Amino acid sequence: MEAAFAHGSTHQFVVTTESNVLKSMSPEDPSLISARLVFIHCKSVTNADQKCQRTLSDQPLTTIHIHRFLKLMGLPLVVEVSDDPNKFSSVHLQLGLPVVFILSQQETYEVDMETAEDVAWQLLGKAGVGVVQREKSGINIPVAYNVAVKRPDENSPVKYLKLKEIQQILDLIHVPKEEQPEKPEESHGDPGVQDDEVARDVYRNRRPVLPLKLVPSLTDDTFKTVFSSARPTAVLFYMIWEHISITLLQFFQEVAEKYKGILEVSLAAVNCADWTVVCTKEKITQFPSVRIYQAGQEPVLYQGMMGTDELARFLILFHLECPRQLHTVEEAGGFISGAMHTSLRPYHNTSILGLFTLDMKEGAAEDFIMAARQLRGSAVVGIYTGESASVLAQQYGAPPPAILFSRRSVQKVNAVSIHNVPADEILPLLKWELLGEFPEVTVESLPALMKRQKPLLILFSDGVPSPRNEKHILSLVRGRYLEQYVTCWLNVKNTPAGLLVLKTYFSVIPPLPQLVLISFDSLGQVFALPVGQQISEVSILYWLEMVKAGEEVPVYFLSKDDWGPPLPHYDFLAMMDEVDPNLAAQKIRIRMKSTRSKKAEMSTKEEKRQSTSLRRTIPKFIDGKEESGRHEEL
């Protein structure tokens, strides 16, 4: 619209939302394109049956790119050059585009001009085209050369070439994308290039919004029903114009369709762009946000992964009592073996059981219950305070108060005594034990692993670690030889980012499995178990001792640079000020002047008032309230 306002007297502007028009002009899938700009050249067309040439802009639709594109479309198709090409200057070079010269001589001038026009149409908007007459250029250009290229780089000499086909010229100018240097200053308006990498990827992978049949939209009237419903309701608060909100809205619909009949939680959504009163009352400050409401209880904020299966797993486990009160030793045994929740086996791996004697109900048991409530939707938790709690705890080698962790994947029960464990450390203990003895590094688990603030000892593996390697590492973990490290493994098939990490550390991807030690201290050293060395208890301990002694050479050093935003911040006021000085910053300056003048008037009145009072006799160092007030104002 800004371009149409500025260039409307020169060009005619037409806008359409018809996808068939876009199909006829662009080879790309219309559903994946937000917008395209096409320049149709009909000025020189005299016959109505004759087709007009079309030029498709391949740049994002920003004010700068549109203005640049229209400027290029208004330039002459081919220019005649009579001077030295090295001294040639044009708008193309000023805009950072190359210029192609067709080297001609008098007897072939007309044919060379036709060739130049053919090349110019194909390079329109990407390069300038000129015809150089050898006789008039004043320099001796060898007859063997027929094409020259001048790059926009300063002090870059003209390159003379001998080419046989027009396609060779096009190949010379059409540099593949991966070879083009990135220019963030020219990509500010591209929604696919954003400071927030998550928003960028969501935008790039966006899809049309699904019909929300199973996820009703709530209004200020219908939202009240979530507080009285006995069935829990998961409500998505979103903004209709925000990419991540729309993506999570689609996840909600996918959860409703994929897990229909399994979920015991209703799904609903509130568009905060329409129902601001609802979102304000609920104190929603982040978008998107998911809250689960149930009658008579405080709403629970979902803080897990924003994915279909992760969200569904949380909602499936949410309806369980947390912790579930077990009354007999048989129930406790069935709980720890997994027999009590056979239908939930696909959705959780670890069951947690707290064991407390009757005299511990008021102390350790209460602390455990408070911590367990924080895990609702994330884990299956039970508590047994019966007479046989001591017998059951002793069976697993941990006297009460104790917590049993039953891991179905390894068919093993791990017991931890929480005797003398502070109340505020129980929840972190539960969360850490949920990860397992030898946890996998995933997008979901990485924050918890990093919170340990210890060096990471990672086994990079092409799939699940072999039983042999896992056995050796678990032996060291259970023997408490690796307590000063966070020992974990990463499956590069499930988490492909691991391959990029390895390539950064080693320059090439080493043979897998590969054991790596990453230290996050001031040195940021990365060490690797020597390639070809077998993974065993002895080799790992010996290698770690060599690292401590300074005998191992780091394979990489972590960067000390801060992670800044990839794009500079917008200065909207400055941009508006350039267009019209009366719009933005100028007005602010005017307001500032008027504000200052008002303050000056008030100050004069105040001085007059004070001159007739005893206040002026108080020393300034005692009268500090007035000064303090002025500073707060500033």
Side-chain angles (χ1 to χ4, degrees):
M1 293 301 291
E2 291 178 17
F5 179 81
H7 301 272
S9 59
T10 308
H11 307 296
Q12 181 180 356
F13 288 78
V14 180
V15 63
T16 179
T17 57
E18 179 56 52
S19 60
N20 289 331
V21 177
L22 191 57
K23 280 182 182 178
S24 66
M25 295 184 177
S26 173
E28 299 175 77
D29 185 357
S31 65
L32 302 178
I33 302 173
S34 58
R36 273 290 184 267
L37 183 64
V38 180
F39 193 99
I40 305 177
H41 309 265
C42 291
K43 235 178 183 180
S44 58
V45 175
T46 55
N47 189 349
D49 297 329
Q50 186 179 353
K51 286 188 176 182
C52 302
Q53 293 274 4
R54 297 172 179 174
T55 303
L56 182 68
S57 172
D58 57 358
Q59 295 292 321
L61 292 191
T62 65
T63 304
I64 295 175
H65 288 147
I66 294 174
H67 174 74
R68 183 174 181 267
F69 180 71
L70 294 177
K71 193 173 185 67
L72 291 170
M73 295 301 103
L75 296 175
L77 189 64
V78 178
V79 295
E80 293 186 33
V81 182
S82 56
D83 296 325
D84 184 352
N86 278 301
K87 299 178 182 177
F88 180 79
S89 179
S90 72
V91 175
H92 289 91
L93 294 171
Q94 295 169 9
L95 294 177
L97 298 176
V99 175
V100 176
F101 300 98
I102 304 298
L103 306 179
S104 177
Q105 44 195 356
Q106 193 169 358
E107 53 267 29
T108 61
Y109 180 77
E110 291 183 4
V111 177
D112 293 334
M113 182 60 75
E114 289 179 5
T115 301
E117 288 179 359
D118 188 8
V119 172
W121 277 117
Q122 298 185 64
L123 293 180
L124 191 59
K126 299 178 178 67
V129 177
V131 175
V132 178
Q133 295 190 39
R134 298 173 188 269
E135 294 82 358
K136 297 181 180 180
S137 64
I139 61 171
N140 185 19
I141 303 175
V143 182
Y145 298 122
N146 58 358
V147 174
V149 177
K150 182 177 176 62
R151 299 287 179 182
D153 304 327
E154 290 185 5
N155 303 322
S156 177
V158 172
K159 189 174 183 179
Y160 293 91
L161 305 164
K162 180 182 179 180
L163 304 179
K164 295 182 179 180
E165 297 177 0
I166 290 178
Q167 186 59 44
Q168 291 179 290
I169 301 177
L170 303 181
D171 294 339
L172 197 66
I173 300 302
H174 290 290
V175 182
K177 282 189 175 182
E178 56 268 21
E179 295 180 11
Q180 291 181 356
E182 291 186 7
K183 297 181 180 179
E185 66 275 10
E186 294 184 1
S187 304
H188 291 174
D190 183 4
V193 180
Q194 300 189 22
D195 182 15
D196 185 338
E197 295 182 3
V198 175
R200 177 201 66 193
D201 291 338
V202 168
Y203 177 84
R204 289 177 179 177
N205 297 291
R206 67 197 183 280
R207 293 292 182 271
V209 180
L210 300 170
L212 302 178
K213 299 176 182 177
L214 302 177
V215 184
S217 296
L218 300 180
T219 66
D220 54 352
D221 291 328
T222 57
F223 181 77
K224 300 171 185 176
T225 58
V226 302
F227 297 104
S228 56
S229 174
R231 181 184 174 96
T233 305
V235 181
L236 168 65
F237 297 91
Y238 71 98
M239 287 289 191
I240 191 64
W241 43 261
E242 203 257 333
H243 299 311
I244 302 179
S245 289
I246 298 303
T247 302
L248 190 55
L249 190 60
Q250 295 177 31
F251 288 163
F252 251 56
Q253 175 68 15
E254 291 172 11
V255 168
E257 292 177 346
K258 185 175 179 180
Y259 294 91
K260 187 178 181 181
I262 300 175
L263 284 180
E264 296 188 26
V265 177
S266 303
L267 301 179
V270 175
N271 179 8
C272 291
D274 291 337
W275 305 103
T276 55
V277 175
V278 174
C279 301
T280 302
K281 284 183 179 178
E282 293 304 302
K283 298 180 180 178
I284 303 298
T285 57
Q286 287 184 318
F287 302 97
S289 289
V290 178
R291 283 188 180 179
I292 298 91
Y293 293 83
Q294 192 169 13
Q297 298 183 18
E298 287 292 322
V300 176
L301 176 66
Y302 174 67
Q303 295 179 306
M305 296 280 286
M306 295 295 190
T308 303
D309 295 329
E310 292 82 2
L311 179 60
R313 183 168 61 246
F314 180 89
L315 296 177
I316 288 171
L317 298 180
F318 183 81
H319 80 278
L320 297 177
E321 183 185 3
C322 193
R324 177 170 179 173
Q325 184 69 51
L326 306 173
H327 302 285
T328 65
V329 70
E330 289 76 20
E331 283 186 344
F335 182 90
I336 207 66
S337 66
M340 187 171 287
H341 300 107
T342 54
S343 62
L344 299 177
R345 283 183 179 178
Y347 309 109
H348 78 103
N349 178 54
T350 304
S351 299
I352 302 174
L353 175 62
L355 296 175
F356 304 90
T357 57
L358 294 173
D359 59 337
M360 297 176 181
K361 281 188 175 181
E362 300 300 325
E366 285 297 324
D367 296 337
F368 174 79
I369 291 173
M370 293 298 292
R373 286 174 180 167
Q374 301 296 315
L375 296 177
R376 186 178 181 186
S378 304
V380 176
V381 187
I383 182 172
Y384 176 57
T385 56
E387 297 177 353
S388 302
S390 297
V391 178
L392 192 58
Q394 291 291 350
Q395 180 181 339
Y396 293 100
I403 304 175
L404 304 184
F405 297 88
S406 175
R407 296 184 175 87
R408 182 171 46 84
S409 59
V410 295
Q411 296 183 346
K412 184 178 182 296
V413 177
N414 183 35
V416 177
S417 177
I418 57 172
H419 183 65
N420 293 330
V421 174
D424 58 350
E425 294 183 12
I426 294 179
L427 181 59
L429 173 67
L430 296 178
K431 288 183 176 180
W432 176 250
E433 289 291 338
L434 279 172
L435 294 175
E437 297 174 291
F438 186 32
E440 180 184 0
V441 179
T442 62
V443 175
E444 189 173 9
S445 67
L446 183 60
L449 299 175
M450 295 293 290
K451 280 183 180 180
R452 304 289 289 182
Q453 296 184 342
K454 294 180 180 180
L456 290 182
L457 185 62
I458 306 180
L459 179 68
F460 288 86
S461 178
D462 187 18
V464 178
S466 67
R468 178 185 173 277
N469 291 337
E470 187 176 19
K471 176 184 175 183
H472 290 308
I473 294 176
L474 279 174
S475 176
L476 294 175
V477 171
R478 291 167 183 169
R480 301 186 182 277
Y481 293 103
L482 303 177
E483 284 193 316
Q484 57 184 308
Y485 312 106
V486 174
T487 309
C488 46
W489 63 282
L490 190 148
N491 184 353
V492 296
K493 289 183 178 178
N494 291 343
T495 311
L499 293 174
L500 299 177
V501 173
L502 288 174
K503 194 170 183 180
T504 301
Y505 292 166
F506 296 90
S507 298
V508 294
I509 298 174
L512 300 179
Q514 176 64 58
L515 194 61
V516 175
L517 176 64
I518 308 170
S519 176
F520 299 101
D521 56 14
S522 58
L523 297 178
Q525 295 175 318
V526 178
F527 298 92
L529 185 71
V531 177
Q533 192 167 333
Q534 285 191 346
I535 295 175
S536 66
E537 291 97 320
V538 175
S539 63
I540 293 173
L541 290 178
Y542 177 76
W543 169 61
L544 293 175
E545 286 299 323
M546 294 294 285
V547 169
K548 288 180 187 176
E551 298 296 328
E552 283 287 330
V553 179
V555 296
Y556 188 75
F557 289 90
L558 300 179
S559 174
K560 295 181 180 179
D561 297 334
D562 293 333
W563 287 1
L567 299 179
H569 294 295
Y570 280 113
D571 186 352
F572 290 104
L573 295 180
M575 293 164 64
M576 294 169 67
D577 211 21
E578 285 182 11
V579 178
D580 187 346
N582 295 319
L583 281 180
Q586 296 291 344
K587 281 192 174 182
I588 290 177
R589 285 193 281 272
I590 293 169
R591 288 198 192 105
M592 287 172 65
K593 284 182 180 179
S594 63
T595 305
R596 289 194 191 104
S597 61
K598 287 180 180 178
K599 286 185 178 180
E601 292 175 7
M602 291 173 64
S603 177
T604 306
K605 292 177 180 178
E606 182 67 14
E607 287 177 3
K608 288 181 179 179
R609 186 183 63 79
Q610 289 182 7
S611 63
T612 59
S613 69
L614 295 176
R615 184 182 173 88
R616 63 195 297 268
T617 62
I618 301 174
K620 289 184 178 180
F621 66 85
I622 297 178
D623 185 14
K625 291 184 179 180
E626 182 71 11
E627 291 297 324
S628 174
R630 289 178 183 173
H631 286 301
E632 287 171 2
E633 241 179 60
L634 293 174

